[in-house]
Amino acid sequence: MENILVAGAHGTTGKKIVNLLSESQYFNPIAMVRKEEQIPFFKSKNVDTILADLEQDVTPAFKTPIDKVIFAAGSGGKNVVAVDQEGAKKLIDASKQNNIRKFVMLSSMGADNPESVSELKDYLKAKQNADKHLIKSGLNYSIVRPGALTDGELSNKIELESKLNKQGEISRNDVAQTLVRTLNDDVANKATFEIIKGDTLIADALNKVSKM
């Protein structure tokens, strides 16, 4: 089984990602948390944890051998440069030093053109800078840019394009499922794409990315 470091594991989407990885026969989640009090939540589910803060030194996150990384962390708009941008950059750099085989980035629709929006501009600019750093890093990567996140049920269906050219929403459950499926070696390597809810099975949509 591959060890998957999940940054932002204690967040709403992060917990869903960890649950999916726990159910997988291929992946073993390592929940990266920044507070001691967040550890028991994962311990109770027999999930390995590692204590590391994106605003500090992230090298402790790699004490355990890590095969791949999912970055699902976010500051909730409170500290976008320190967490969403610089924290992501630090984890990307540490991943490169530790020969990570794939880095899956949870980004956001609009990160390709932050200037086009009036709201969330600082957040989208931070995401854009983190995405660019990942692309230039030399790591194998997938950058997943969902539309507006909802708490809806898993549909297992999405609409996916490198650029959708329209707004839309998508459930965190479907985003988590997409991120976990993107970990596979033959899926969406060195690819950036947008997703919203749709009519295509996630697996089929991701197969299309691999052929883009």
Side-chain angles (χ1 to χ4, degrees):
M1 293 179 80
E2 295 179 327
N3 283 339
I4 311 299
L5 181 70
V6 182
H10 203 259
T12 309
T13 306
K15 286 176 181 173
K16 296 179 186 299
I17 292 166
V18 170
N19 284 341
L20 288 171
L21 292 170
S22 296
E23 294 165 2
S24 166
Q25 58 183 321
Y26 305 109
F27 305 124
N28 175 53
I30 311 286
M32 176 176 157
V33 296
R34 65 187 182 91
K35 296 178 181 175
E36 291 270 4
E37 55 263 35
Q38 294 171 338
I39 293 174
F41 173 85
F42 295 105
K43 282 264 174 86
S44 69
K45 298 176 182 292
N46 294 316
V47 171
D48 296 326
T49 58
I50 199 84
L51 199 60
D53 189 338
L54 288 166
E55 295 186 60
Q56 307 294 331
D57 177 16
V58 298
T59 54
F62 297 88
K63 281 180 188 171
T64 301
I66 301 294
D67 296 293
K68 295 172 183 174
V69 173
I70 294 181
F71 186 92
S75 63
K78 296 171 192 162
N79 208 350
V80 294
V81 172
V83 175
D84 301 84
Q85 177 178 300
E86 296 306 313
K89 285 183 177 182
K90 281 193 280 188
L91 201 66
I92 291 163
D93 292 344
S95 294
K96 188 170 183 182
Q97 289 164 6
N98 286 275
N99 300 311
I100 296 308
R101 298 213 317 277
K102 195 171 198 177
F103 194 109
V104 177
M105 175 74 84
L106 175 55
S107 185
S108 175
M109 195 178 288
D112 60 325
N113 189 14
E115 305 305 322
S116 66
V117 296
S118 54
E119 296 179 16
L120 300 174
K121 190 177 290 185
D122 290 342
Y123 167 72
L124 292 174
K125 185 66 178 174
K127 296 303 286 184
Q128 181 187 59
N129 290 336
D131 291 354
K132 285 181 175 178
H133 192 76
L134 177 56
I135 291 167
K136 291 177 183 174
S137 70
L139 286 168
N140 186 20
Y141 67 86
S142 297
I143 297 172
V144 183
R145 292 175 170 167
L149 300 178
T150 73
D151 293 319
E153 295 296 312
L154 175 71
S155 72
N156 213 25
K157 293 181 179 179
I158 57 174
E159 184 175 351
L160 181 155
E161 294 290 346
S162 53
K163 177 71 177 170
L164 281 164
N165 293 311
K166 63 180 176 180
Q167 299 299 309
E169 57 184 32
I170 184 169
S171 75
R172 288 180 173 85
N173 284 299
D174 285 318
V175 170
Q177 186 75 240
T178 303
L179 292 167
V180 169
R181 285 180 173 273
T182 303
L183 286 168
N184 290 308
D185 289 330
D186 57 350
V187 173
N189 293 312
K190 297 205 170 176
T192 303
F193 55 90
E194 298 180 345
I195 55 171
I196 55 175
K197 66 181 179 182
D199 300 317
T200 305
L201 287 170
I202 291 172
D204 292 342
L206 288 172
N207 281 339
K208 183 175 75 170
V209 178
S210 303
K211 293 166 185 164
M212 279 179 178

